[in-house]
Amino acid sequence: MTATFDRQHPDPENLPGRQRAGKVWQGVFSMSLLVGLLALIVLLLNITNQAGGLAAYRNKVEPASLSPLPLEETPVEALVAILKENLSINRIKTLQRDGKLEDRSQTDLAAIVTEQIVKPEVIATYTLFQSLTRGDQIRQEILAQNPDASVVWKWWLTPDFLQRSMSSNADLAGVRTALFGSLYMIAITILVAFPIGLGAAIYLEEYADRRSRINRIIQTNIDNLAGVPSIVYGILGLAIFVRLLSPLTSGALFGSGSDNGRTILSAALTMALLVLPVIIINSQEAIRAVPGSLREAAYGLGATRWQTIWHHVLPYAMPGIMTGNILAISRAIGETAPLIVVGAATFITQDPSGPFSRFTALPIQIYNWTTRPQPEFRNIAAAAILVLLVSLLSLNAVAIFLRSRFGRR
Amino acid sequence: MQQAIDPINHPPVIEAQDVQLYYGNFRAVKDFSLKVQPRMITAIIGPSGCGKSTVLRSFNRMNDFVPSFHLDGSILYHDQNIYAPEVDPVLIRGRIGMVFQKPNPFPKSIYDNVAWGAKINGMRGNMDDLVEEALRKAALWDEVKDILRNSALSLSGGQQQRLCIARALAVRPEIILMDEPASALDPIATLKIEDLMRELSENYTIIIVTHNMQQAARASDMTAFFTMDEDRAGIMVEYDQTSKIFTTPRDQRTEDYITGRYG
């Protein structure tokens, strides 16, 4: 039997039409990519725009009226005299709690004079774009309204910004404490989540009986847990690590540490819980991608299950495992909600000294600064976002380097 | 069913006794018995889906990795039932090596490919000598002796398959199972493998699954013919010397198959 068609051969007439349809879809797909790229560029520009520009200051007391020399060049004795002259006795006592004024360095004293007496106040800040396009106009406007104000170029992300700790004065605030807190936390998170996650993945892929009901339930639950909102993990962490395991997470069991469970350890364990399902799933996928022929080859030579896994399955899967886990860890660095619930401090000037210390983290710091009413805090928030992005990218770069080092031959 | 006729009355190395192979409730291969002669090449032939590979893999318990697989009857390796509960399949696979359909060298160096099996089995001694010996036996030494540290994946398909044979030999097995070892290779590489099998059969027992009847006729001493019955289960039709199977088969189905009338 021969089927009857209108045409017996492929029609050359409709070929251009078919090719055109393909071109249209190709265009649609490249547009999607373009939209994504544009969004990324706009984001980066927006942050950079906030991170630098003109700032108008007004001093409560002009430094020129205090000392004939600029403060940076004024000798120690003169600075001490200025302080004693302008500040109340109680204030001086407070300052001397950590040591006599005369014993401090010149830089330190100049900073104290600036902070306590000169008290520079930011009246207004301008974005990089505004400052570049109509800088002169801005200067004139400000000076017309506030004749005693000074307008300076200010780049908020400076080496000092990285080295200073938290302060209620945006000019003197920095991210050192937050950066250390974030790095400390992520290090513990990796140490906890990576071995447990990889172990669970190996068990589920290589040992667990896929047909058993319990294992199927466990697998489904892990898949679902990956989608649970992070705030829920925060509450879980609060209940378990901060409250229930407080003797452990506060370090009381080890005879040191803080008085409650709101420590780096609690936060890191909470983050580990948060990324664990993602790590398990990613590692499982990577292990599943190992060809069965490789396993058969090993078993066929009389290898045990563990020898096969250790010598062949894991090395082959490792690049894939790393890729998946880098993404999971990156997510943990930027995560804010669980930290708020677990109790990251918003104002802290002490660097974390160990897993049992109170801490703050970069996202917390950014969140905190963006909620302040003063305009200059938005600028340092932008600068902190740049720090967060750069630290994230460098962690990823390290991980990618490791991946290529341990990649398959 | 025909009982095997021993051409030479050696005690068999492997003896399948009333074996039935199942995947879950599906009976993949029905009742068969056969005796494999030492230092000979035994070919298992038959149409696709008749369970040849399943039979071959049951000889070194490679089917254990299929969760639903189970077996009735017994398979004796030197009078020891390898499916007895006290037998560790890991040990069996060390004595009964396997070469697979597609060359599957490890993504490691040529040297490590050969040495690994010996290492993990706890064999001690001069590893360099062992690697050379295995590669020489597999007729690969002259081609790779200067590139032992190169990746095994840089070899051609035929070389990779001979490397897989060398890898199996390095564990010093008594039996080598080959599951269509030449089906992914070109005719010249195939002939090399067949020559190699002939050489190896002086010291090793070889069982080969093939759907290439010329290969079975050329390269084997004994042939077992399997086919499917009306339930789509595999059955062994005939087991005899290869010369007899290909010239004077006793069963009509065997004759139909080898003359190309079906399958």
Side-chain angles (χ1 to χ4, degrees), chain B residues 36-62:
Chain B
V36 176
Q37 301 300 322
R39 285 183 291 287
M40 281 200 180
I41 302 175
T42 303
I44 300 175
I45 61 169
S48 298
C50 70
K52 313 186 282 294
S53 287
T54 307
V55 169
L56 188 76
R57 282 159 178 261
S58 67
F59 291 157
N60 70 342
R61 294 193 59 172
M62 282 299 276

Side-chain angles (χ1 to χ4, degrees), chain B residues 130-171:
Chain B
L130 180 74
V131 169
E132 181 177 343
E133 177 197 305
L135 284 170
R136 277 191 194 281
K137 279 189 193 163
L140 191 61
W141 174 251
D142 290 335
E143 291 161 63
V144 301
K145 64 184 176 210
D146 299 321
I147 52 167
L148 288 176
R149 296 288 162 193
N150 286 18
S151 168
L153 300 178
S154 64
L155 298 175
S156 74
Q159 288 174 324
Q160 287 188 11
Q161 194 63 300
R162 275 178 285 147
L163 179 64
C164 292
I165 294 175
R167 183 174 69 182
L169 293 176
V171 185

Side-chain angles (χ1 to χ4, degrees), chain A residues 67-88:
Chain A
S67 157
L69 292 167
L71 286 180
E72 292 77 36
E73 294 166 22
T74 312
V76 172
E77 300 77 35
L79 286 172
V80 173
I82 293 170
L83 281 171
K84 290 201 166 150
E85 195 176 314
N86 288 280
L87 293 176
S88 69

Side-chain angles (χ1 to χ4, degrees), chain A residues 189-208 219 222 272 275-288 290 295 306 309-310 312-326 328-329 406:
Chain A
T189 303
I190 292 173
L191 285 180
V192 173
F194 193 78
I196 296 180
L198 184 55
I202 292 173
Y203 179 80
L204 285 170
E205 282 303 307
E206 298 288 334
Y207 293 96
Q219 183 72 59
I222 290 172
V275 296
L276 206 47
V278 184
I279 288 187
I280 295 175
I281 292 169
N282 284 332
S283 307
Q284 273 186 288
E285 304 251 316
I287 291 172
R288 213 173 298 154
V290 175
R295 289 194 179 83
W306 173 242
I309 295 170
W310 180 249
H312 297 293
V313 175
L314 285 184
Y316 195 96
M318 204 36 90
I321 291 173
M322 291 288 275
T323 313
N325 294 351
I326 292 164
I329 296 294
F406 297 120

Side-chain angles (χ1 to χ4, degrees), chain A residues 51 154-166 170-177 179-180 369 380 383-384 386-387:
Chain A
K154 180 95 182 151
W155 183 245
W156 299 91
L157 180 57
T158 58
D160 277 352
F161 182 70
L162 294 178
Q163 287 163 23
R164 283 191 301 242
S165 66
M166 191 63 178
D171 237 355
L172 302 173
V175 290
R176 191 190 65 214
T177 318
L179 193 58
F180 278 133
W369 282 339
I380 59 171
L386 286 179
V387 174

